[in-house]
Structure formats: structure tokens, C-alpha cells
Amino acid sequence: MKMKTTIILTAAILCVLSPISYAVEAAPSSAEEKTSAKPLRILCVGDSITAGYTDNPIWNVPFEFGYRQGLFERLQKSGYQFQFVGDSPEPWDGRFGVPKNSPSPDLRAIGQDRHEGHGGWNTAQVLQHIDQWIAKSQPDIVLLMIGINDAGRPPTAENLKGIVEKIVSARPQAHVVVAQITPLLKFTQSIADYNTSIRDTLVPEFQQRGCKVSTVDQYRNMLKPDGTIDPGLFSNKINHPNATGYERMAQTWFEAIQAILPVAKN
């Protein structure tokens, strides 16, 4: 018990004492400044939804990099200098079939198809790998959405806390945005409870320690105006969003980044 307390206190000190220092220069006003600007490093972490899967392995629904394409376009249009980071090969490794279409824009062609989205993964698997991902990618912002594949199992909330703990300990200057996860097609109480714990317990605990941790509600992006789950926003009739769902998610992530680091207007 004494060892656990020491670890938590050490992490808390790191959160409080680390200065805010994002590697980005917003909207450079000249070509020279644009060349010298150090890009904001954004790490998207999660499961198949982070990778951007649709109705795989059939792939009748076009693959467009999930929310990452919409987020890329919003950040670029707003003048952010940024680089997506990560080394997941999905979906191009063919584990769940290879997309039939040619996405446009193709983030691969411009070095922006970088992420740590892994189809079928749960919180325990991300917890096992997050150390090496953070050490290698050195992110300034982490967009974390994980838990749909194991929500309702007792270790899930603790695993998520462990993931965030590892990130803030290794990169206390980074900002971690923890998503309240999207729903399954059919309402699942365990997902609702998991999201409540993220919003009301996990994030406030880290914030009280001075850590740069916040949350966004991605669950609501898959709902009708009356608050019920919208089947028309799913591409595989199970859990993967369609293009409209992913676009809504992109906007939510974008607004979170804007809140963390607004772009200066010239």
C-alpha cells in the first residue's frame, strides 16, 4: 500500500510542476516562419474506431480514415502546424480485409496516416503498450478513446486509469483528452456507466492533481435529437460509425484541441 501511495504522489508532482509547453506555432505569418514552426504532435489511441473501420471485412462502405480525416481537414484549414503520430499499420495490413476504395484525400500520401488504433483491442491491451507508444511518438496531445470492447468488465475502468497514469507520468507536459466512448447499436448500460465514471470520477481526479486531462463526449455524436441511439449512423450495424458519425466525432475532437491550444489570428 505504501508503494502505491508513493507512485501516485510522484505522478501528482509531475503533473503540477511541469510547464505548459506545446511544440507548435500557430498560423505562421510568413513562409520562413512556417518552415521553422515545430508541429503539434497528436497521437490518436484506441481500437477499430480510431483506425477508422467501417463495414469490414466486406468494405462496401468506403474507408476515409474515420474521424482522423475530418480532424486533419479542420486542423489544416484553421492554420495548425501539426503531425499525427503512431505506428499502427491498420487497416492496410489486411487483418480485417483491405479497403476497396482509394480515400481522398489520402493521408498516407502526405505522411498523416499515423495513429495507434488497433481493431478489437481493449483497455488491457492498450495499457500493455502505451509506454512504448508514448516514448516513441513524444506526443503533445493524446486523443484517447478505448473501452468499447471490454466495457462492463471489472478491470476496464482501472485499466483506463492506468493508461492515463502512464501518459501523464511519461509526458506530463502533454494534454490527454479522454473520450466518453461511442455506443453499440443497441443500448448497453455498461457503456453508459463507463462513460459516467470517465466524466465524473476519472477526469476530475487527474484534474485535481494538476494534470492536463480533459474529456469529450463522443457518445452523444451517435444519438438522435431525442437522445436515443441512431441506427442510421452505423456502418456495420454493430459499433463502427459511418461517414456522418465520424464527421461528428472529428468536430468534437477538433473543438477539444481548440480549447487546449487556440490558433492565434493574424
Side-chain angles (χ1 to χ4, degrees):
M1 183 64 70
K2 185 175 181 181
M3 182 179 296
K4 183 177 181 181
T5 302
T6 302
I7 292 172
I8 292 176
L9 288 175
T10 301
I13 292 171
L14 286 171
C15 289
V16 172
L17 296 182
S18 298
I20 298 175
S21 178
Y22 290 110
V24 63
E25 292 182 11
S29 58
S30 70
E32 182 179 353
E33 287 175 335
K34 188 170 184 179
T35 300
S36 62
K38 195 174 181 181
L40 181 72
R41 298 174 66 81
I42 302 173
L43 176 62
C44 303
V45 176
D47 45 46
S48 56
I49 297 174
T50 295
Y53 285 98
T54 58
D55 63 337
N56 55 287
I58 302 171
W59 292 110
N60 287 331
V61 178
F63 171 78
E64 299 292 347
F65 301 96
Y67 72 73
R68 293 179 291 115
Q69 177 175 292
L71 179 57
F72 169 84
E73 291 172 340
R74 287 165 171 81
L75 290 170
Q76 186 180 60
K77 183 177 180 180
S78 297
Y80 283 89
Q81 303 300 306
F82 67 97
Q83 175 63 56
F84 287 138
V85 294
D87 287 323
S88 173
E90 297 186 29
W92 310 108
D93 60 353
R95 287 185 60 224
F96 302 102
V98 177
K100 297 176 182 178
N101 65 300
S102 298
S104 178
D106 192 335
L107 298 186
R108 294 173 296 175
I110 51 177
Q112 291 285 12
D113 185 23
R114 308 296 298 276
H115 62 96
E116 289 296 352
H118 299 267
W121 277 34
N122 58 33
T123 56
Q125 290 166 300
V126 171
L127 179 62
Q128 183 180 357
H129 290 83
I130 194 66
D131 286 322
Q132 66 189 63
W133 295 344
I134 296 299
K136 184 171 183 179
S137 63
Q138 296 290 291
D140 300 303
I141 293 178
V142 179
L143 305 181
L144 173 63
M145 191 176 85
I146 190 67
I148 198 169
N149 293 315
D150 57 338
R153 302 175 196 171
T156 304
E158 284 302 311
N159 288 342
L160 182 63
K161 183 176 181 180
I163 293 166
V164 178
E165 191 75 72
K166 287 187 174 187
I167 298 170
V168 301
S169 296
R171 289 284 289 177
Q173 70 271 42
H175 195 114
V176 186
V177 185
V178 185
Q180 297 158 53
I181 65 175
T182 52
L184 297 172
L185 179 66
K186 294 184 179 180
F187 174 78
T188 308
Q189 186 62 50
S190 60
I191 290 180
D193 294 342
Y194 179 66
N195 284 340
T196 298
S197 72
I198 291 172
R199 184 189 67 236
D200 294 346
T201 303
L202 176 76
V203 171
E205 282 183 3
F206 280 97
Q207 290 177 338
Q208 288 168 9
R209 289 165 42 185
C211 302
K212 290 189 278 290
V213 178
S214 59
T215 186
V216 294
D217 186 356
Q218 293 290 11
Y219 189 96
R220 66 181 174 84
N221 286 321
M222 302 297 288
L223 304 180
K224 296 178 180 179
D226 65 4
T228 59
I229 296 170
D230 188 347
L233 294 173
F234 292 81
S235 60
N236 65 346
K237 304 305 178 185
I238 303 171
N239 63 331
H240 296 162
N242 60 16
T244 301
Y246 278 130
E247 273 293 298
R248 292 181 178 184
M249 293 179 68
Q251 180 63 27
T252 296
W253 287 126
F254 175 64
E255 290 172 1
I257 293 174
Q258 281 187 310
I260 295 166
L261 191 66
V263 171
K265 300 298 182 181
N266 294 324

